[in-house]
Structures are given as structure tokens and as C-alpha cells.
Amino acid sequence: MDATKKKTESEVFISEADQYLFAQGTHYDIYKKLGAHPSVQDGEKGMFFGVWAPNAASVHVIGTFNGWDEMANPMKKIGPGGIHTTFIPGVGVHELYKFLITTPSGEKLYKADPFANSAELRPGTASRTVDISGFHWTDDVWMKERTGKDYNKEPLAIYECHIGSWMRHPRPEEKGFYNYREFADRIVEYLKEMKYTHVELMGIAEHPFDGSWGYQVTGYYAPTSRYGEPEDFMYLINKLHKNKIGVILDWVPAHFATDAHGLGRFDGQCIFEDPDPRKGEHPDWGTKIFNCGKTEVKNFLIANVLFWIKEFHIDGIRVDAVASMLYLDYGKQDGQWVPNIYGGNKNLEAIEFFKHLNSVVLGTYPGFLTIAEESTAWPKITGKIEDDGLGFSFKWNMGWMHDFCEYMKLDPYFRKDNHYAMTFAMSYNDSENYILPLSHDEVVHLKCSMVNKMPGYQVDKYANLRCGYTFMFGHAGKKLLFMGQEFGQEREWSEERELDWYLLGEDLNKGLQEYVKELLNIYRKYPCLYEFDNSWDGFEWLNCDDKDRSTYSFFRKSSAKKNNLLFVINMTPMLWENYKLGVPAKKKYKLLLCSTEERFGGSGETVPDELMAKKEICDYRDYSITFDLPPYAAVIFTF
């Protein structure tokens, strides 16, 4: 226990005002009332319990403190909204409990607490009493600075990470996960060395099945007990913040798990999901869909984001499967969905929910990030709400990710026929605020790891990947890499084992890691790479039409009009002698990075350290530079 932790010693109760605001969908602190909370009544310490179960005939609290006696602790229904409460004297922290809900027909349901802050370690399914108040935060500087940030003009380089499979205990006698504190000590050192700005953590909200990776949730208000206590998770975030690393959580409002102890048919009827399976179920995923038309459900979800912000100091959410919420027919056949009131396939309630969520969260917490994983061409995902946008901070550019991966998989001989797959994203780049993601979804289910997507012999694969990453870091948009991609993890990712860290003993893997570190360092050092990501003010093609040589050239522009960067990327194993390139000005172009250097696992062929532009017309420009461009070479010049 943290020595500075102060225990809660006030009375918790639910007033008529609490009930009214929850019914209206605007009680943003409802998590402080519903659930289990240390409380004092008539001078006696104990635990206050509250649960929303509007259709229950009766509700009892059962747990280790009463021997799971089903009649020992009845709850009282306190108003017309369906909230039940009780205070149980003498109950402390670390007790297991459930709500026993009896339906009007006499059916008994044994439910985990939807607002619990901790859960029994799987395969157990009970909730756990804890006190999350009073952790001694020391991240004031970070939190204050975050408020003033506009991430459209800041570097944003995200490391997507699954705690349980990033690294496992090295000692055989301690098989299993690092806890949050051990993970903190290792991940902070690594992220600082690599120069990432943020870490995105998968699967933090409590979930019963490891193989769901945290995308089928049962405990939205509980950091998973797989890795320790809520206080340990606070330690992790606090330490990341003190080292100037932001924390983004995967957040899953699109669907929830169907496990018997979870939210489904919570009080015998469908209160979190729509009772019509055409609206309330995902046939492909075997999950339930939140009913965003119900005020209490919207309150549950919006208050959940505010809970993670206020109680755990998180810096952003990546909202999973947004498209599945926006479209009523997403993943469904005819007869499996119901049109909206206008006969269309847009989910009007989900649209209103996202506007409500973003207006409340971003309006209250400037500098916080809401990121939409949205895979369609739905307009204005990051548009202003007053302009009929959804108000997200950023959108994952799934189109770029698909085009990039499909192009990079091609044998170089065929790349000339698919040249414009790599340039297409710039044609719509200014329509949203984009993040370029190479996420976990791209390295599972027989899609191959990033390095094994690449064509050729092993040395060619790594050369290709260095070129691909250079293109990504030069392209407009914020950056996201999934763990292991930075050093060339060769096996597909599995949640059942740690990354293959032993590969760093190989020259190609260590070289790739060093190269990505250089790219991240350059990305953070040069404002031209992040100041103007959503307009042509920051990006200009030099030659996007050199398909016969499968070569791309462009430059990034800074507001200061200095320290601009020029990128030239050869996507073939061919040496292009006397490669002539039109340049924007009569300047000296100094070599900043070349992917073929031996220290990165390259061939050692390189380009001149410095080139002076000559007055020779090329690529419709008055000045040009000429040099030999090595095979599979990605070159960055500064000017």
C-alpha cells in the first residue's frame, strides 16, 4: 500500500439528484455512486453498494464477507429509475462479491458489478472491493503541459503494446506476466530510448478471455487484475508521465462480451443492449451491441471515459470499431438489421453519442485525444461538431494502411504497375486529421509479420522494410507502430508468448531497431514532419510519377522555412546511376540519413554527404541534384 494513501472516510449515498441525472444521461460522476465504495454510516465503516437493475424483483449482495449467503444482504430499490443500494458494515477491501439478481419469474442471475474497480483473477468472475482514492500522483508537470498542447501541431509517435506479450518473466519459476509496476520499469526505459511520445495499451479494461486481447469486455471500470491492482496501474501511468510519455487506452464501446456474469441480460432483460437481436447483436463477433438510444447506457459509457481520465490520468482513447457503430448493417446480411427512421443504414443514435462524448470529454479536458478506428469513408470523423462532424481528435488512416501493406508485399518487378497505391492517400489527406497505423491487426491471422510481408531473401526483406518505414515517417500523418515491428519480429504476434527479443542478437534486427530509433529521433527533432500534417502546407511531391523506377521523392516543409527535409526512396533492388531529381530551391542538400548504411544492416552503399543544386531543369523545377541512388535505398536530406 502506498504510504501516502488516504482512506475514504465519508458517507456514500445516492440522492434524488443522482438518480435524475443518471436517468437524463448526464451524471458524469455516476461511477462514484454505483458500484462498491468504502463508506461510513452512523460512525461505522463498511462498504456501500449500488447497482442499476430496473427490472429486478430483488437484488442481494453476496460475497466472501457473508459466506455467499444469498439472503444475508438484500438491497433496497430507492426510486423509479431502478437503482438498488445497501450499506454493509465491516466490509473492507479485497473482498469478492457479486450481485444476485432475482427476476420477476424467479430466475436467479449472478452478476459481476458493472462499476467494479477490480475483478477476481480469471477464470474467476467475481468483482473485488477496492479503494482507488488517495494514490499519490507526482505527474503535475505533465498534466499541466498537456492542457496546452494541440497535437495537430505536435509530434505523435505511438507504440501500440499488449502488456502480457510484450515481455514475460525471464525466470522459469515465475512464468507469467510482469505486473504493472515491473512492466513500468522496463517499458519506460525502452520508450525513452526509442523516442516514442506515447504508448497505446491494449486490453486494460477487465475481460475474461486472453484470446480476445481485451476487445470483449466485462469490467469497463476495472483495470485487468492479470497485471496487478488498480494502484499498480496508477503507478505505471504516473511513471510514464514523469518520463514525458503519454498513455492511450484502447476503449471498446462498440460491443461487449456475452459471458453470463457480464452485462448481457443484466437484470433478466436487455438493459445495456437492445432486445431486438437485429440491433443488439453482432453475428460475426458473437457479442452484444450497446443500446446508444438509452440515456443510462450513454451515461455508463461517457462516464467511463471520464473515470479513466480523472482517476487514472490517461491521455487519450483509441475507440475500437467505430464503423460498426455508425452503420446499422455493418457485418450483417439482409434481414439481420433494421433501418433507421428514414429508411437508411446510418445509426443516428451512435452519431449523437459520439458527438456527445467528444463535446464533453474534449471540451472539459483540452489536450486529451480521442482517436477513431474507422475503416470507411464516413465524412468528418474529425470535423467540428458544429459543422456536423463527430469531433474526434484523429482518425486511423486504414486506407493508407491497406494500400501500404499491399504495395510493400509486391515483388519489385510488379510495383511499377501499382505505383499510385502509395500516392493515393495524399489525395484525401486534408479531409481528416490522420494517424498512419501499422497495428496489431496487420500481423495476426496468417497476415505475416511486417518483415515477412516483404519480398525477397532475408536481407531484401529488411531493406524493403527500412524503405517502407522511411516512407511512412516522411508521409503526412501521425505515426503508430505495433510492438515488435521496430526490430523485425519475424513470427506473427501471439498473446500467448513474449516478443522474440533474442532476435536483437542478429545484425539485421538490431540494425532495423537502430534505424527506427533514428527515424523517431528525426521525427521528433524536425517540426516539418508534424506541424502541418493535414494540409499541403507541410508536404509537396517532387516526383510522384517515377513508376518505371518505383522511386518516390517529396519534401516536408516547416513554418520557419528552414530545416526542411527531402525524401528519396528507391523501392527496387536496382542501382539508379546518375539519378536526377528536381529540387525546390538552389540550396545545399545535406545527407541526414541513408537506410543502406552498414550499421542498419544495409549494403554499405551510400550517397554523397552533401549535394549542391545546379540550375538544370528537372521534374518541372529550375534546379536539380544528381547522384547514384543505391538499391533499396531510402535517403533523407536536410535543407
Side-chain angles (χ1 to χ4, degrees), residues 18-27 295-296 298-299 356:
D18 290 325
Q19 296 173 63
Y20 173 80
L21 289 173
F22 181 56
Q24 295 298 305
T26 56
H27 195 323
T295 52
E296 295 92 343
K298 286 187 289 188
N299 200 151
H356 188 173

Side-chain angles (χ1 to χ4, degrees), residues 150-195:
D150 175 3
Y151 274 105
N152 280 307
K153 301 183 183 302
E154 296 277 345
L156 188 59
I158 303 167
Y159 188 68
E160 186 187 28
C161 185
H162 179 263
I163 292 179
S165 58
W166 183 69
M167 191 177 285
R168 294 282 178 98
H169 271 297
R171 297 181 295 276
E173 68 273 16
E174 292 189 39
K175 290 178 182 175
F177 306 132
Y178 281 123
N179 64 37
Y180 290 119
R181 290 176 185 260
E182 294 168 326
F183 174 74
D185 296 338
R186 286 154 184 79
I187 195 71
V188 163
E189 180 183 357
Y190 190 70
L191 295 177
K192 281 180 69 177
E193 178 190 356
M194 293 298 294
K195 305 296 184 187

